[in-house]
Amino acid sequence: MEYTPLWTRRPTSVRPTQDATASGTTEKGSATAMAPHAYMIGTGIGNLAAGIYLIRDGGWDGSQITMLGLEKHGANDGQATKDFASEYGHGPLSNDAGFTNRGGRMLNEETYENFWDVMGSVPSLEQPGKSVTEEILEFDHAHPTKDIGRLIDRDGLRTSGPNSSVHMQFTNAERLLLTRLMMLPESRESELDDISIEEWFASSPHFFTTNFWWMWQTTFAFKKQSSAAELRRYMNRMILEFSRINTLEGVTRTPYNQYESVILPMRAFLKDHGVRFVNNRKVTELVFADTPLRDTITVTALRYQEVDNGDAPGVITLNPGDLVFDTNGSITDSTSLGDLDTPLVEDLRYAPSAELWKRATDHFYNLGHPDKFFGDREQSEWTSFTVTTSDHYLIAQISRLTRQLPGNALNTFVDSNVLLSLVVHHQPHYRAQTAEQGVFWGYAMYPRRHGDFVAKPFIEMTGREMLQEVLGHLARLDKTADPIGNHTERIMDSIVNVVPSHMPYASALFNRRTTLDRPKVVPDGSTNLAFVSQFAEMPFDMVFTEQYSVRAAQLAVYTLLGLDKPLTPVHHYEKDPLVMARAARTMFR
């Protein structure tokens, strides 16, 4: 399963420039006379990658591309809290100090082929002459992940004995069910339409008490209600990681948060090539050509609102040959924030990016069903929180109790009523962190439930109360003569901010679905519209990954441009005998 990676090419030089903010209410299509123009709706990693593919592989000039976005980072988080609070839909906070990390997305060296290819063409902003791929892999190889405290219960870390996280704890019935799921051919995936993981394992509910399930659901954000089809895809695509899920040794970390380590270099590359970024546009409608049989999809205009100008309406009229790349759904849409002493106020709006997609489905039958992903928050929601401290005392205490240094940890408290997990990254996680500051984050998979130490639903807690819930679990773990519970006042005095972040659609891409609920990247009959997101359908690959977004971008560009080039090859470790043998041994531990 070997191939020669394209990302070994050397990147071109780049200089950062300022974002553009557009004004006016009407625009005509191409900035370059008679040349086709591409309009990218949403500026997450997928559309940034599409811009790079247009320039690198399609031969386009950057001036032919316009990026229309409401925020700068997409789902790849990492920014000062005050910057998050000023973006679309959030509003001011009483305490906007510190940093905010709504979530995290793990990279993987072996199976993120498209991601490494694209980032191999993007220059590092900190290491001249190196690509972002080289920068990330060199950092990760120098700071490899080895999580020895993956699961924690009221008796301590599950590191030894029959409850050790090295043991998957399957019964033979569960081994059979999991094997049957993995071995189901892709051609028969429709047999899993609207089937949840809970339904697939209905004959063996013990499955949901195993170490495997505790680790799987909190590593990848699955729930019992999630799609069995997505579990099948993950088990095949990530089978290489099955034998090391208890230590997360296959996780590839970036030097800083992914916004600074991935998104900013991509934006800088595109700006240097002349791409125009417009940060105040909410596209509200795709205007389609009216065809007699409704079997041709051609976008003729984009209606929009200027969100920082009283929602002033406008329209962009497309010229023949112009292209549209739409982010038809984002897992961080409708996020709501709180702060240290202010609970968040849940944002009940339908996801803005999915709302645009939903309006398009009124015109054509083959564009999927966004309500399957954005109409049931119980399947998809979770709440995270970011802790910024003025010193490293609290992080040092977490390291002592989990027996590992920052950068290795994803710790899940399996006895937590809300299923609480902590992530302590290598420090600093933000370039703007001072030498004294510490930052870590955590999340609750079931935020409607009450806490174990704070008697209210997790979603209703202030940041301070969320931290108190964390300290309660750490104190229960600490059996030393001078436990962490003796130092609560010392810890609270060091807190700069704790920022709660509720994401109603965080796991929406795992919702139960049929094979027709996501549109194709380039729908049948489309002449100029592509969907580049986690909610576009591609075979085999797995959602909730940067790899999926970047591959969708490549497929979109190559298809709409008619490029006679093969897609970046992907590995099929599920066909590798050695990998499968290791997986089989793990299954019988």
Side-chain angles (χ1 to χ4, degrees), residues 423-561:
V423 180
V424 184
H425 288 289
H426 187 275
Q427 302 292 303
H429 193 49
Y430 299 82
R431 288 189 176 93
Q433 266 181 260
T434 66
E436 296 79 15
Q437 284 180 324
V439 179
F440 67 95
W441 70 282
Y443 55 99
M445 290 285 290
Y446 299 98
R448 305 285 173 181
R449 298 177 183 174
H450 280 66
D452 296 286
F453 301 94
V454 178
K456 64 171 63 174
F458 195 82
I459 191 175
E460 297 178 11
M461 296 181 191
T462 65
R464 185 184 302 274
E465 290 169 332
M466 291 181 180
L467 181 57
Q468 289 170 349
E469 183 72 11
V470 171
L471 294 178
H473 284 282
L474 292 172
R476 188 164 64 183
L477 173 66
D478 196 346
K479 311 298 184 185
T480 62
D482 186 24
I484 190 173
N486 292 349
H487 303 278
T488 301
E489 185 176 352
R490 162 79 173 80
I491 290 169
M492 297 310 296
D493 286 344
S494 74
I495 301 303
V496 174
N497 206 354
V498 181
V499 181
S501 178
H502 182 67
M503 293 171 287
Y505 309 118
S507 300
L509 29 65
F510 292 145
N511 282 17
R512 295 185 301 276
R513 59 166 180 82
T514 73
T515 53
L516 300 178
D517 287 332
R518 295 189 296 225
K520 293 181 179 179
V521 172
V522 179
D524 294 339
S526 173
T527 64
N528 68 345
L529 172 65
F531 294 114
V532 179
S533 81
Q534 303 287 309
F535 300 95
E537 176 59 34
M538 295 186 296
F540 182 62
D541 228 329
M542 55 189 181
V543 292
F544 211 0
T545 63
E546 290 87 344
Q547 163 63 21
Y548 199 88
S549 295
V550 177
R551 189 165 187 83
Q554 185 183 37
L555 180 59
V557 169
Y558 283 24
T559 302
L560 289 180
L561 266 57

Side-chain angles (χ1 to χ4, degrees), residues 289-450:
D290 191 13
T291 57
L293 298 179
R294 295 278 176 154
D295 55 0
T296 300
I297 302 173
T298 301
V299 181
T300 60
L302 307 176
R303 300 190 191 279
Y304 66 84
Q305 295 173 343
E306 294 186 33
V307 300
D308 59 357
N309 187 27
D311 287 342
V315 61
I316 299 172
T317 302
L318 272 64
N319 294 324
D322 288 352
L323 306 177
V324 176
F325 296 81
D326 178 34
T327 307
N328 63 312
S330 170
I331 61 174
T332 51
D333 269 3
S334 304
T335 296
S336 46
L337 302 179
D339 58 47
L340 183 63
D341 292 305
T342 308
L344 58 85
V345 177
E346 185 177 359
D347 186 343
L348 297 175
R349 291 175 304 170
Y350 198 84
S353 57
E355 188 174 27
L356 178 64
W357 171 23
K358 188 172 182 176
R359 295 192 70 173
T361 64
D362 292 340
H363 297 268
F364 302 98
Y365 68 88
N366 63 336
L367 299 187
H369 302 95
D371 282 352
K372 293 294 285 289
F373 307 98
F374 296 93
D376 182 1
R377 292 187 174 201
E378 183 183 359
Q379 285 192 67
S380 60
E381 67 181 357
W382 43 281
T383 300
S384 67
F385 56 93
T386 308
V387 181
T388 305
T389 59
S390 60
D391 59 35
H392 292 282
Y393 180 79
L394 178 54
I395 286 180
Q397 293 298 304
I398 295 173
S399 294
R400 173 178 66 83
L401 292 169
T402 60
R403 289 187 263 165
Q404 53 199 354
L405 294 174
N408 292 289
L410 168 53
N411 306 121
T412 294
F413 297 95
V414 299
D415 294 324
S416 165
N417 194 42
V418 300
L419 193 53
L420 183 68
S421 296
L422 299 181
V423 180
V424 184
H425 288 289
H426 187 275
Q427 302 292 303
H429 193 49
Y430 299 82
R431 288 189 176 93
Q433 266 181 260
T434 66
E436 296 79 15
Q437 284 180 324
V439 179
F440 67 95
W441 70 282
Y443 55 99
M445 290 285 290
Y446 299 98
R448 305 285 173 181
R449 298 177 183 174
H450 280 66

Side-chain angles (χ1 to χ4, degrees), residues 1-9 53 108-118 133 137 237 547 551 554 566-573:
M1 309 303 171
E2 298 296 328
Y3 75 101
T4 302
L6 298 177
W7 49 260
T8 53
R9 73 184 78 199
Y53 280 122
N108 180 268
E109 184 171 349
E110 293 90 348
T111 58
Y112 280 36
E113 299 90 346
N114 283 83
F115 177 82
W116 301 122
D117 171 28
V118 161
T133 289
L137 294 182
R237 188 75 162 97
Q547 163 63 21
R551 189 165 187 83
Q554 185 183 37
L567 296 177
T568 302
V570 298
H571 294 82
H572 282 269
Y573 288 108

Side-chain angles (χ1 to χ4, degrees), residues 70-236:
L70 293 172
E71 59 176 34
K72 298 179 182 179
H73 35 68
N76 295 73
D77 284 333
Q79 205 168 4
T81 299
K82 60 181 175 59
D83 293 329
F84 265 113
S86 66
E87 288 189 336
Y88 177 74
H90 294 317
L93 296 174
S94 299
N95 180 354
D96 63 3
F99 301 91
T100 297
N101 211 86
R102 290 178 300 189
R105 303 173 77 185
M106 299 177 184
L107 303 178
N108 180 268
E109 184 171 349
E110 293 90 348
T111 58
Y112 280 36
E113 299 90 346
N114 283 83
F115 177 82
W116 301 122
D117 171 28
V118 161
M119 301 314 295
S121 298
V122 177
S124 163
L125 295 180
E126 292 201 335
Q127 300 187 48
K130 288 188 177 179
S131 69
V132 172
T133 289
E134 292 169 318
E135 179 181 53
I136 293 174
L137 294 182
E138 286 180 10
F139 173 84
D140 183 70
H141 294 168
H143 305 86
T145 300
K146 187 168 184 179
D147 191 342
I148 64 171
R150 181 65 186 84
L151 298 180
I152 301 173
D153 59 30
R154 61 186 65 241
D155 295 321
L157 276 63
R158 291 189 174 185
T159 55
S160 61
N163 284 333
S164 169
S165 59
V166 73
H167 299 298
M168 298 297 103
Q169 299 182 321
F170 295 131
T171 65
N172 284 335
E174 290 154 5
R175 293 183 182 107
L176 178 61
L177 287 168
L178 196 57
T179 300
R180 282 178 52 201
L181 184 66
M182 289 180 59
M183 299 302 291
L184 186 73
E186 189 171 320
S187 61
R188 292 171 52 197
E189 190 178 67
S190 61
E191 295 177 20
L192 300 175
D193 282 359
D194 283 327
I195 300 295
S196 69
I197 299 171
E198 187 171 29
E199 290 173 288
W200 183 263
F201 288 96
S203 62
S204 189
H206 168 268
F207 176 81
F208 298 104
T209 68
T210 61
N211 280 337
F212 168 80
W213 180 247
W214 290 121
M215 291 185 288
W216 188 271
Q217 68 175 322
T218 52
T219 298
F220 300 114
F222 277 84
K223 295 185 177 184
K224 291 180 182 180
Q225 306 101 304
S226 300
S227 166
E230 297 300 344
L231 176 60
R232 174 197 165 274
R233 289 197 182 190
Y234 259 73
M235 288 301 299
N236 279 282

